[in-house]
Amino acid sequence: MKNPMYEVASLLLEKFLLLAKLLSMGSSAEEEEKKKHAFYYDISYFKPGDLLEVPRTLFIHFGIYLGNNRVAHLMPDVLPAFTNDPKQIQKVVTNKRLILGVIAKMARIRVDTVEDFAYGGSILVNHMDKLFKDSVLCGEEVARRAEKLVGATEYSLLWNNCEHFVTYCRYGSSISFQTDKFCEAVKAIIRDQRSVLVSVLLGLASILCLGLAPSTTLPTIIIPFMLWMAG
């Protein structure tokens, strides 16, 4: 029996995803068609301990190949908070489960087939080794580390995501270059004084639409001031 709390959260998120889907209907249809024809991978090319990368539209997903068509990877997932049924949890993580997991800061290091891990995307192998030339651990040790960590874990976009997991397993250090790029982008926005003007205009627009109140006036003053000082 489905958990009612999970159903309510899923329903709200489904409405949001429906809106996003309508805005990108064309590209989504192309991606789905691509996935239908891209589910074969030559696993003989992979060795235990290999670091696998799957480029996505907005990010790169990472995993560690364990051998025998198994990949360990960290995925945000809220479902374990509502059920202990391993069959339900082991199903492919949907977008709703993933996004709710990010919000709830819940994740699992799980083991899936290469097909389920890549989900129709192209796979890069050990692409990050060139950045850690003297730190690459042997394949057996990498796979052992990955398998040891399988199970529930906390999720943090900045401190504990799938890239942190694989870099720890293969190189001995938890690092996320995607996070570094994200933080640099945020810093660039803060340093750009035009963001102050944009925040002021958005604040004035909220006052005009919602009326003059502490909930609209204070952010209109405080946010531009903080951006101005930080810049």
Side-chain angles (χ1 to χ4, degrees):
M1 188 175 69
K2 295 184 178 181
N3 188 293
M5 290 180 63
Y6 177 67
E7 286 297 301
V8 171
S10 295
L11 180 61
L12 292 175
L13 186 58
E14 188 175 351
K15 300 303 181 184
F16 172 78
L17 291 175
L18 178 62
L19 178 61
K21 187 175 181 179
L22 290 174
L23 295 176
S24 58
M25 185 69 75
S27 60
S28 295
E30 291 177 4
E31 287 182 10
E32 289 300 319
E33 188 64 26
K34 188 187 296 181
K35 288 173 185 175
K36 291 179 183 177
H37 301 284
F39 271 73
Y40 172 76
Y41 299 93
D42 184 3
I43 62 174
S44 65
Y45 182 71
F46 307 134
K47 302 185 298 294
D50 279 349
L51 191 159
L52 309 184
E53 300 182 32
V54 180
R56 303 291 193 198
T57 304
L58 299 176
F59 62 92
I60 300 174
H61 189 51
F62 297 86
I64 297 292
Y65 187 67
L66 303 177
N68 299 319
N69 196 23
R70 298 180 305 135
V71 181
H73 57 127
L74 189 154
M75 286 282 288
D77 188 5
V78 75
L79 189 59
F82 301 98
T83 180
N84 293 321
D85 185 352
K87 291 183 179 179
Q88 292 293 326
I89 294 173
Q90 191 56 35
K91 289 182 179 179
V92 175
V93 177
T94 63
N95 286 334
K96 290 187 290 185
R97 283 170 60 181
L98 187 147
I99 294 174
L100 288 171
V102 171
I103 295 171
K105 297 184 178 180
M106 298 181 62
R108 285 187 67 83
I109 295 170
R110 49 186 286 146
V111 177
D112 287 306
T113 64
V114 172
E115 290 78 10
D116 286 344
F117 161 74
Y119 203 59
S122 58
I123 299 178
L124 303 176
V125 183
N126 299 328
H127 188 64
M128 296 174 67
D129 282 6
K130 59 187 177 183
L131 303 174
F132 297 89
K133 293 181 180 178
D134 302 322
S135 304
V136 181
L137 302 175
C138 69
E140 292 79 4
E141 173 63 15
V142 176
R144 185 193 67 79
R145 286 185 172 211
E147 289 204 74
K148 187 177 180 180
L149 293 173
V150 169
T153 184
E154 291 185 359
Y155 180 80
S156 169
L157 179 65
L158 299 180
W159 311 115
N160 191 37
N161 61 39
C162 60
E163 191 174 5
H164 289 108
F165 165 66
V166 298
T167 52
Y168 165 75
C169 291
R170 188 165 177 85
Y171 310 117
S173 300
S174 248
I175 298 171
S176 174
F177 295 104
Q178 292 185 108
T179 296
D180 293 343
K181 290 180 181 178
F182 172 76
C183 291
E184 286 301 319
V186 172
K187 289 179 183 177
I189 292 173
I190 291 175
R191 292 193 186 109
D192 190 341
Q193 294 301 307
R194 286 175 295 183
S195 62
V196 178
L197 177 60
V198 171
S199 65
V200 170
L201 293 176
L202 289 174
L204 292 175
S206 68
I207 291 175
L208 290 174
C209 294
L210 303 175
L212 192 63
S215 60
T216 56
T217 306
L218 290 178
T220 302
I221 298 172
I222 294 173
I223 294 176
F225 175 74
M226 292 177 66
L227 288 173
W228 176 264
M229 296 303 293

